[in-house]
């Protein structure tokens, strides 16, 4: 028996994937080159299970504590967790073993802490650098002017940290035009750094775009989109 919940989630997922694919084609890229991170912060366990059953296995949480709880409750599922929100250093130790990627590294200190913990547990940790492209005071992230080659050189020396790219959130104000400007700014920052980027740092991934703006983000070069409400909401 397929429940109404399962039907709704499957339909939402199919629609989101189709919209992602269309945006990818519009920008001349293959739909497979863009990863969907399903953001579970407002979703009930049953809905998350339905989503995973429907084939979406990369899950994202913005709060470490919620990630710990959900990862424990869903430990039987074949999923990979991404932390997409601010991580305080005192929560890093408990978070690290649970996650496949951290999108929200916003200081060299946090990077150092993660590197040390990863080394202690004999693994490498994949991260993105969060950049506050919109400059809003309430947002975390490096200021764009801080993300320069010397920072990448410092990060590149952390042998258990794998920098894979950049992440941003668009301005709350200004609608899709402002969002497009912010996404383009992240891509342009990446492109400027690319030539002088140390070999130990990669900048392939651009994590940008949420339910309200993911198509614009893909058009501007997103390789990962973080989508919550469009997957889980009732319509
Ligand atoms: C909540 C959240 C999202 C998803 O937001 P929706 O609008 O529900 O798609 C994406 N990224 C971050 C960092 C978030 O906190």
């Amino acid at each position: 028996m397929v429940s109404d919940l399962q039907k709704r989630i499957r339909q939402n997922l199919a629609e989101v994937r189709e919209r992602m694919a269309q945006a990818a084609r519009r920008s001349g890229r293959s739909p497979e080159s863009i990863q969907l991170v399903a953001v579970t912060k407002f979703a009930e366990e049953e809905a998350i299970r339905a989503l995973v059953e429907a084939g979406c296995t990369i899950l994202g949480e913005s709060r470490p504590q919620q990630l710990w709880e959900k990862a424990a409750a869903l430990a039987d599922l074949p999923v990979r967790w991404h932390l997409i929100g601010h991580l305080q250093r005192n929560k890093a130790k408990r978070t690290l073993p649970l996650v496949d990627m951290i999108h929200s590294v916003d200081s060299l200190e946090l990077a150092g802490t993660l590197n040390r913990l990863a080394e202690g547990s004999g693994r490498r940790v994949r991260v993105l650098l969060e950049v506050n492209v919109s400059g809003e005071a309430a947002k975390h992230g490096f200021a764009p002017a801080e993300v320069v080659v010397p920072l990448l050189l410092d990060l590149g020396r952390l042998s258990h940290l794998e920098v894979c790219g950049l992440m941003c959130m668009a301005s709350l104000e200004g609608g899709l035009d402002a969002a497009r400007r912010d996404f383009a700014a992240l891509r342009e920052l990446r492109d400027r750094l690319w030539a002088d980027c140390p070999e130990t740092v990669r900048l392939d991934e651009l994590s940008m775009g949420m339910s309200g703006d993911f198509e614009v983000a893909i058009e501007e070069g997103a390789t990962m989109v973080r989508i919550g409400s469009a997957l889980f909401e009732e319509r």
Side-chain angles (χ1 to χ4, degrees), residues 30-70:
S30 85
E32 294 76 47
S33 65
I34 298 152
Q35 273 195 332
L36 171 60
V37 178
V39 179
T40 55
K41 66 182 173 206
F42 297 128
E44 304 284 347
E45 188 179 323
E46 218 192 327
I48 303 171
R49 287 184 178 277
L51 187 76
V52 174
E53 229 167 78
C56 185
T57 55
I58 303 179
L59 305 181
E61 269 293 325
S62 51
R63 290 171 190 269
Q65 232 141 335
Q66 301 231 319
L67 190 150
W68 305 342
E69 285 165 21
K70 289 212 169 84

Side-chain angles (χ1 to χ4, degrees), residues 39 41 62 84 167 169 210-211 226-229:
V39 179
K41 66 182 173 206
S62 51
I84 60 171
M167 177 270 215
M169 290 172 70
M210 324 201 316
S211 292
R226 311 176 308 266
I227 299 181
S229 40

Side-chain angles (χ1 to χ4, degrees), residues 84 125 142 163 169:
I84 60 171
V125 55
F142 290 99
V163 177
M169 290 172 70

Side-chain angles (χ1 to χ4, degrees), residues 11-190:
Q11 194 177 346
N12 285 355
L13 178 62
E15 279 174 26
V16 165
R17 285 210 193 278
E18 179 54 29
R19 288 170 58 192
M20 286 174 61
Q22 283 174 10
R25 286 190 208 103
R26 278 199 295 281
S27 55
R29 293 189 297 147
S30 85
E32 294 76 47
S33 65
I34 298 152
Q35 273 195 332
L36 171 60
V37 178
V39 179
T40 55
K41 66 182 173 206
F42 297 128
E44 304 284 347
E45 188 179 323
E46 218 192 327
I48 303 171
R49 287 184 178 277
L51 187 76
V52 174
E53 229 167 78
C56 185
T57 55
I58 303 179
L59 305 181
E61 269 293 325
S62 51
R63 290 171 190 269
Q65 232 141 335
Q66 301 231 319
L67 190 150
W68 305 342
E69 285 165 21
K70 289 212 169 84
L74 301 168
D76 57 308
L77 296 182
V79 297
R80 286 182 287 162
W81 285 98
H82 287 199
L83 181 72
I84 60 171
H86 181 61
L87 178 60
Q88 288 168 286
R89 278 190 286 162
N90 63 9
K91 299 205 171 105
K93 188 172 183 186
R94 190 157 167 198
T95 303
L96 187 64
L98 303 173
V99 294
D100 182 54
M101 182 179 254
I102 297 173
H103 291 225
S104 43
V105 167
D106 53 10
S107 71
L108 192 54
E109 292 72 30
L110 175 60
T113 299
L114 290 169
N115 182 60
R116 188 168 39 73
L117 291 167
E119 182 167 19
S121 52
R123 62 171 284 199
R124 281 161 65 84
V125 55
R126 300 196 307 141
V127 305
L128 305 176
L129 308 179
E130 180 170 358
V131 184
N132 185 358
V133 281
S134 69
E136 287 169 309
K139 285 210 166 82
H140 290 284
F142 290 99
E146 291 178 291
V147 187
V148 289
V149 172
L151 174 72
L152 299 184
L153 287 168
D154 285 343
L155 292 166
R157 282 186 207 103
L158 303 174
S159 58
H160 293 260
L161 199 79
E162 221 174 289
V163 177
C164 301
L166 306 178
M167 177 270 215
C168 78
M169 290 172 70
S171 318
L172 292 171
E173 314 256 312
L176 287 180
D177 289 342
R180 187 181 292 280
R181 203 183 52 222
D182 292 339
F183 298 147
L186 193 72
R187 187 196 63 234
E188 285 159 12
L189 175 64
R190 190 274 305 274

